[in-house]
Amino acid sequence: MAEAPRMPIESGCPDPIQYMHPTMRRNYGQWAYHDRPRPGVLHHTSKNNEEIWTVRCGTARQMDVYSIRKLADIADEFADGFVRFTMRSNVEYMVADVTKVEALIAALTEAGFPVGGTGPSVTMISHTQGWLHCDIPGTDASGIVKSLMDELHEEFTREEMPNRVHMTTSCCQINCGGQGDIALNIQHTKPPKINHDLVANVCERPTVVARCPVAAIRPAMVNGKPTLEVDEKKCICCGACFPPCPPMQINDPEHSKIALWIGGKNSNARSKPSFHKLVASNLPNNPPRWPEVGAVVKNILSVYKKDARDWERMGEWVDRIGWPAFFEKTGLPFTKFHINDWKGARHELNSSAHIRF
């Protein structure tokens, strides 16, 4: 009789303790301090006088089996066999012997995995799925990440920024990439084009109507067929209707643009969390290298690196110098689209990490 398959445990995230390095398990919650001997290397010392070194390298978010096996082989040969993946697609190797660190760094570098991403550096870019997997993308987020990091990898391997720079990319305006010091996402500038012949066969119309955040979609009849129509005066071109109804195509090679936002922050360090703000829009969605986007990002990073004080995150730097100075120093144009004229906007949004009402 065949053995019954193991049923999955669906009670949340798996227990991380079982995957930890033995030194980390023994000293869990007992760390006295940590330091960074060099970019990409973390050194933790416990209250029990045990030490562990963590070497961080950058990888792509979507990897082939060969790359994953290569990373695993390096862990077995040059580390202690323990690795972990961070939310920014870095791989961290833990070793309890300092003599293994340099050989591990050399092996990763030779294999094409840059070591860095710690301290005041440009960290790996967190991003959404893009064309590879997502059902609603207007651009290829992972392609933008590849193009940007090809040009910024030296800032990943060095610690020369005023503070850490978290970058994100999102393939639509839902912004799964989250808040970032620099964030990129797509902006649709035209309402969706509707294929009325397919709507009734593909879409659950009440769901699509309910999906619209501004009530711009309503049922309609076209050529005797049930379909949907869009009130273009209300439509904000968000693209939320496209996932439940692909015949409402909103992606456009000309009218879907890249927008760049800065100043987002999730931590409470020095200042409360903040939302990022729009600084550049209407940038061409120009695969495969997105040169126009890369030029703007590098310009902002260059000015920030030169002008910000130590420990200032990008949003804190802008708060100090003011938005007029930011646009003057970067040379970016300020337009009417940078003004928040939404009727529901408030001067101070409830953006603190503390619960309040």
Side-chain angles (χ1 to χ4, degrees), residues 303-321:
V303 177
Y304 166 69
K305 184 177 181 179
K306 179 180 179 181
D307 193 66
R309 297 172 181 171
D310 289 345
W311 302 106
E312 278 186 330
R313 292 286 290 271
M314 190 163 290
E316 296 166 340
W317 164 60
V318 175
D319 287 342
R320 176 173 61 84
I321 67 174

PDB file of all heavy atoms in Angstrom, residues 303-321:
ATOM      1  N   VAL A 303      23.091  63.365  -6.410  1.00  0.00           N
ATOM      2  CA  VAL A 303      22.842  64.575  -5.628  1.00  0.00           C
ATOM      3  C   VAL A 303      22.677  64.230  -4.154  1.00  0.00           C
ATOM      4  O   VAL A 303      23.211  64.918  -3.275  1.00  0.00           O
ATOM      5  CB  VAL A 303      21.599  65.313  -6.167  1.00  0.00           C
ATOM      6  CG1 VAL A 303      21.282  66.529  -5.305  1.00  0.00           C
ATOM      7  CG2 VAL A 303      21.812  65.737  -7.615  1.00  0.00           C
ATOM      8  N   TYR A 304      21.950  63.162  -3.872  1.00  0.00           N
ATOM      9  CA  TYR A 304      21.751  62.726  -2.482  1.00  0.00           C
ATOM     10  C   TYR A 304      23.080  62.370  -1.829  1.00  0.00           C
ATOM     11  O   TYR A 304      23.364  62.765  -0.691  1.00  0.00           O
ATOM     12  CB  TYR A 304      20.793  61.532  -2.465  1.00  0.00           C
ATOM     13  CG  TYR A 304      20.745  60.761  -1.174  1.00  0.00           C
ATOM     14  CD1 TYR A 304      20.193  61.308  -0.015  1.00  0.00           C
ATOM     15  CD2 TYR A 304      21.243  59.457  -1.109  1.00  0.00           C
ATOM     16  CE1 TYR A 304      20.150  60.591   1.174  1.00  0.00           C
ATOM     17  CE2 TYR A 304      21.193  58.729   0.070  1.00  0.00           C
ATOM     18  CZ  TYR A 304      20.641  59.307   1.204  1.00  0.00           C
ATOM     19  OH  TYR A 304      20.608  58.586   2.366  1.00  0.00           O
ATOM     20  N   LYS A 305      23.908  61.648  -2.536  1.00  0.00           N
ATOM     21  CA  LYS A 305      25.208  61.224  -2.004  1.00  0.00           C
ATOM     22  C   LYS A 305      26.094  62.421  -1.684  1.00  0.00           C
ATOM     23  O   LYS A 305      26.824  62.424  -0.675  1.00  0.00           O
ATOM     24  CB  LYS A 305      25.893  60.304  -3.024  1.00  0.00           C
ATOM     25  CG  LYS A 305      27.205  59.708  -2.573  1.00  0.00           C
ATOM     26  CD  LYS A 305      27.729  58.762  -3.651  1.00  0.00           C
ATOM     27  CE  LYS A 305      29.045  58.117  -3.235  1.00  0.00           C
ATOM     28  NZ  LYS A 305      29.539  57.170  -4.282  1.00  0.00           N
ATOM     29  N   LYS A 306      26.005  63.441  -2.493  1.00  0.00           N
ATOM     30  CA  LYS A 306      26.853  64.624  -2.315  1.00  0.00           C
ATOM     31  C   LYS A 306      26.312  65.577  -1.262  1.00  0.00           C
ATOM     32  O   LYS A 306      27.080  66.188  -0.501  1.00  0.00           O
ATOM     33  CB  LYS A 306      26.982  65.358  -3.663  1.00  0.00           C
ATOM     34  CG  LYS A 306      27.819  66.620  -3.614  1.00  0.00           C
ATOM     35  CD  LYS A 306      27.879  67.276  -4.988  1.00  0.00           C
ATOM     36  CE  LYS A 306      28.686  68.562  -4.945  1.00  0.00           C
ATOM     37  NZ  LYS A 306      28.724  69.223  -6.288  1.00  0.00           N
ATOM     38  N   ASP A 307      24.987  65.710  -1.164  1.00  0.00           N
ATOM     39  CA  ASP A 307      24.385  66.787  -0.380  1.00  0.00           C
ATOM     40  C   ASP A 307      23.860  66.366   0.986  1.00  0.00           C
ATOM     41  O   ASP A 307      23.793  67.188   1.905  1.00  0.00           O
ATOM     42  CB  ASP A 307      23.242  67.424  -1.186  1.00  0.00           C
ATOM     43  CG  ASP A 307      22.771  68.737  -0.602  1.00  0.00           C
ATOM     44  OD1 ASP A 307      23.554  69.707  -0.609  1.00  0.00           O
ATOM     45  OD2 ASP A 307      21.618  68.800  -0.136  1.00  0.00           O
ATOM     46  N   ALA A 308      23.476  65.104   1.162  1.00  0.00           N
ATOM     47  CA  ALA A 308      22.851  64.686   2.424  1.00  0.00           C
ATOM     48  C   ALA A 308      23.898  64.533   3.526  1.00  0.00           C
ATOM     49  O   ALA A 308      25.080  64.270   3.261  1.00  0.00           O
ATOM     50  CB  ALA A 308      22.097  63.377   2.233  1.00  0.00           C
ATOM     51  N   ARG A 309      23.449  64.701   4.758  1.00  0.00           N
ATOM     52  CA  ARG A 309      24.310  64.491   5.912  1.00  0.00           C
ATOM     53  C   ARG A 309      24.356  63.010   6.272  1.00  0.00           C
ATOM     54  O   ARG A 309      23.500  62.229   5.864  1.00  0.00           O
ATOM     55  CB  ARG A 309      23.781  65.300   7.105  1.00  0.00           C
ATOM     56  CG  ARG A 309      23.801  66.797   6.886  1.00  0.00           C
ATOM     57  CD  ARG A 309      23.081  67.520   8.009  1.00  0.00           C
ATOM     58  NE  ARG A 309      23.066  68.971   7.793  1.00  0.00           N
ATOM     59  CZ  ARG A 309      22.360  69.814   8.521  1.00  0.00           C
ATOM     60  NH1 ARG A 309      21.571  69.369   9.506  1.00  0.00           N
ATOM     61  NH2 ARG A 309      22.401  71.120   8.274  1.00  0.00           N
ATOM     62  N   ASP A 310      25.357  62.654   7.067  1.00  0.00           N
ATOM     63  CA  ASP A 310      25.462  61.266   7.514  1.00  0.00           C
ATOM     64  C   ASP A 310      24.194  60.851   8.248  1.00  0.00           C
ATOM     65  O   ASP A 310      23.653  61.611   9.059  1.00  0.00           O
ATOM     66  CB  ASP A 310      26.666  61.091   8.437  1.00  0.00           C
ATOM     67  CG  ASP A 310      27.981  61.180   7.686  1.00  0.00           C
ATOM     68  OD1 ASP A 310      27.954  61.093   6.441  1.00  0.00           O
ATOM     69  OD2 ASP A 310      29.036  61.345   8.327  1.00  0.00           O
ATOM     70  N   TRP A 311      23.714  59.647   7.963  1.00  0.00           N
ATOM     71  CA  TRP A 311      22.560  59.009   8.582  1.00  0.00           C
ATOM     72  C   TRP A 311      21.222  59.533   8.074  1.00  0.00           C
ATOM     73  O   TRP A 311      20.177  59.034   8.483  1.00  0.00           O
ATOM     74  CB  TRP A 311      22.596  59.108  10.120  1.00  0.00           C
ATOM     75  CG  TRP A 311      23.815  58.494  10.703  1.00  0.00           C
ATOM     76  CD1 TRP A 311      24.895  59.156  11.242  1.00  0.00           C
ATOM     77  CD2 TRP A 311      24.136  57.100  10.769  1.00  0.00           C
ATOM     78  NE1 TRP A 311      25.846  58.263  11.641  1.00  0.00           N
ATOM     79  CE2 TRP A 311      25.403  56.989  11.372  1.00  0.00           C
ATOM     80  CE3 TRP A 311      23.461  55.945  10.384  1.00  0.00           C
ATOM     81  CZ2 TRP A 311      26.019  55.766  11.589  1.00  0.00           C
ATOM     82  CZ3 TRP A 311      24.068  54.720  10.606  1.00  0.00           C
ATOM     83  CH2 TRP A 311      25.338  54.642  11.205  1.00  0.00           C
ATOM     84  N   GLU A 312      21.217  60.521   7.201  1.00  0.00           N
ATOM     85  CA  GLU A 312      19.947  60.991   6.664  1.00  0.00           C
ATOM     86  C   GLU A 312      19.441  60.052   5.581  1.00  0.00           C
ATOM     87  O   GLU A 312      20.137  59.803   4.593  1.00  0.00           O
ATOM     88  CB  GLU A 312      20.081  62.399   6.068  1.00  0.00           C
ATOM     89  CG  GLU A 312      20.009  63.509   7.069  1.00  0.00           C
ATOM     90  CD  GLU A 312      20.005  64.886   6.414  1.00  0.00           C
ATOM     91  OE1 GLU A 312      20.599  65.038   5.333  1.00  0.00           O
ATOM     92  OE2 GLU A 312      19.410  65.805   7.001  1.00  0.00           O
ATOM     93  N   ARG A 313      18.246  59.504   5.763  1.00  0.00           N
ATOM     94  CA  ARG A 313      17.591  58.790   4.676  1.00  0.00           C
ATOM     95  C   ARG A 313      17.131  59.805   3.648  1.00  0.00           C
ATOM     96  O   ARG A 313      17.078  61.011   3.903  1.00  0.00           O
ATOM     97  CB  ARG A 313      16.412  57.977   5.217  1.00  0.00           C
ATOM     98  CG  ARG A 313      16.801  56.807   6.096  1.00  0.00           C
ATOM     99  CD  ARG A 313      17.370  55.653   5.297  1.00  0.00           C
ATOM    100  NE  ARG A 313      16.361  54.993   4.506  1.00  0.00           N
ATOM    101  CZ  ARG A 313      15.606  53.978   4.931  1.00  0.00           C
ATOM    102  NH1 ARG A 313      15.753  53.521   6.160  1.00  0.00           N
ATOM    103  NH2 ARG A 313      14.726  53.411   4.130  1.00  0.00           N
ATOM    104  N   MET A 314      16.766  59.336   2.480  1.00  0.00           N
ATOM    105  CA  MET A 314      16.462  60.273   1.404  1.00  0.00           C
ATOM    106  C   MET A 314      15.307  61.209   1.750  1.00  0.00           C
ATOM    107  O   MET A 314      15.354  62.417   1.483  1.00  0.00           O
ATOM    108  CB  MET A 314      16.159  59.504   0.120  1.00  0.00           C
ATOM    109  CG  MET A 314      16.057  60.395  -1.106  1.00  0.00           C
ATOM    110  SD  MET A 314      16.195  59.501  -2.648  1.00  0.00           S
ATOM    111  CE  MET A 314      17.910  59.012  -2.630  1.00  0.00           C
ATOM    112  N   GLY A 315      14.252  60.678   2.366  1.00  0.00           N
ATOM    113  CA  GLY A 315      13.132  61.521   2.747  1.00  0.00           C
ATOM    114  C   GLY A 315      13.507  62.548   3.799  1.00  0.00           C
ATOM    115  O   GLY A 315      13.030  63.689   3.776  1.00  0.00           O
ATOM    116  N   GLU A 316      14.380  62.157   4.731  1.00  0.00           N
ATOM    117  CA  GLU A 316      14.830  63.081   5.763  1.00  0.00           C
ATOM    118  C   GLU A 316      15.684  64.196   5.166  1.00  0.00           C
ATOM    119  O   GLU A 316      15.625  65.353   5.605  1.00  0.00           O
ATOM    120  CB  GLU A 316      15.609  62.313   6.832  1.00  0.00           C
ATOM    121  CG  GLU A 316      14.758  61.296   7.572  1.00  0.00           C
ATOM    122  CD  GLU A 316      15.567  60.311   8.383  1.00  0.00           C
ATOM    123  OE1 GLU A 316      16.779  60.161   8.097  1.00  0.00           O
ATOM    124  OE2 GLU A 316      14.996  59.672   9.277  1.00  0.00           O
ATOM    125  N   TRP A 317      16.488  63.840   4.172  1.00  0.00           N
ATOM    126  CA  TRP A 317      17.279  64.856   3.468  1.00  0.00           C
ATOM    127  C   TRP A 317      16.381  65.880   2.791  1.00  0.00           C
ATOM    128  O   TRP A 317      16.593  67.088   2.910  1.00  0.00           O
ATOM    129  CB  TRP A 317      18.188  64.159   2.451  1.00  0.00           C
ATOM    130  CG  TRP A 317      18.776  65.040   1.397  1.00  0.00           C
ATOM    131  CD1 TRP A 317      19.586  66.124   1.591  1.00  0.00           C
ATOM    132  CD2 TRP A 317      18.599  64.918  -0.020  1.00  0.00           C
ATOM    133  NE1 TRP A 317      19.933  66.684   0.382  1.00  0.00           N
ATOM    134  CE2 TRP A 317      19.342  65.961  -0.621  1.00  0.00           C
ATOM    135  CE3 TRP A 317      17.907  64.024  -0.830  1.00  0.00           C
ATOM    136  CZ2 TRP A 317      19.394  66.136  -2.011  1.00  0.00           C
ATOM    137  CZ3 TRP A 317      17.961  64.193  -2.203  1.00  0.00           C
ATOM    138  CH2 TRP A 317      18.688  65.233  -2.781  1.00  0.00           C
ATOM    139  N   VAL A 318      15.335  65.411   2.105  1.00  0.00           N
ATOM    140  CA  VAL A 318      14.417  66.329   1.433  1.00  0.00           C
ATOM    141  C   VAL A 318      13.654  67.178   2.447  1.00  0.00           C
ATOM    142  O   VAL A 318      13.437  68.376   2.238  1.00  0.00           O
ATOM    143  CB  VAL A 318      13.448  65.563   0.521  1.00  0.00           C
ATOM    144  CG1 VAL A 318      12.416  66.507  -0.091  1.00  0.00           C
ATOM    145  CG2 VAL A 318      14.209  64.844  -0.592  1.00  0.00           C
ATOM    146  N   ASP A 319      13.263  66.574   3.569  1.00  0.00           N
ATOM    147  CA  ASP A 319      12.574  67.351   4.606  1.00  0.00           C
ATOM    148  C   ASP A 319      13.455  68.483   5.118  1.00  0.00           C
ATOM    149  O   ASP A 319      12.963  69.566   5.464  1.00  0.00           O
ATOM    150  CB  ASP A 319      12.173  66.446   5.770  1.00  0.00           C
ATOM    151  CG  ASP A 319      11.000  65.541   5.418  1.00  0.00           C
ATOM    152  OD1 ASP A 319      10.291  65.844   4.444  1.00  0.00           O
ATOM    153  OD2 ASP A 319      10.801  64.527   6.124  1.00  0.00           O
ATOM    154  N   ARG A 320      14.759  68.262   5.170  1.00  0.00           N
ATOM    155  CA  ARG A 320      15.668  69.297   5.674  1.00  0.00           C
ATOM    156  C   ARG A 320      15.875  70.414   4.662  1.00  0.00           C
ATOM    157  O   ARG A 320      15.811  71.598   5.016  1.00  0.00           O
ATOM    158  CB  ARG A 320      17.022  68.670   6.042  1.00  0.00           C
ATOM    159  CG  ARG A 320      18.059  69.696   6.489  1.00  0.00           C
ATOM    160  CD  ARG A 320      19.328  69.032   7.001  1.00  0.00           C
ATOM    161  NE  ARG A 320      19.987  68.231   5.986  1.00  0.00           N
ATOM    162  CZ  ARG A 320      20.836  68.729   5.067  1.00  0.00           C
ATOM    163  NH1 ARG A 320      21.090  70.025   5.022  1.00  0.00           N
ATOM    164  NH2 ARG A 320      21.410  67.919   4.195  1.00  0.00           N
ATOM    165  N   ILE A 321      16.117  70.046   3.397  1.00  0.00           N
ATOM    166  CA  ILE A 321      16.431  71.093   2.411  1.00  0.00           C
ATOM    167  C   ILE A 321      15.176  71.679   1.774  1.00  0.00           C
ATOM    168  O   ILE A 321      15.219  72.780   1.221  1.00  0.00           O
ATOM    169  CB  ILE A 321      17.369  70.556   1.307  1.00  0.00           C
ATOM    170  CG1 ILE A 321      16.657  69.493   0.449  1.00  0.00           C
ATOM    171  CG2 ILE A 321      18.652  70.007   1.920  1.00  0.00           C
ATOM    172  CD1 ILE A 321      17.471  69.027  -0.746  1.00  0.00           C
TER     173      ILE A 321
END
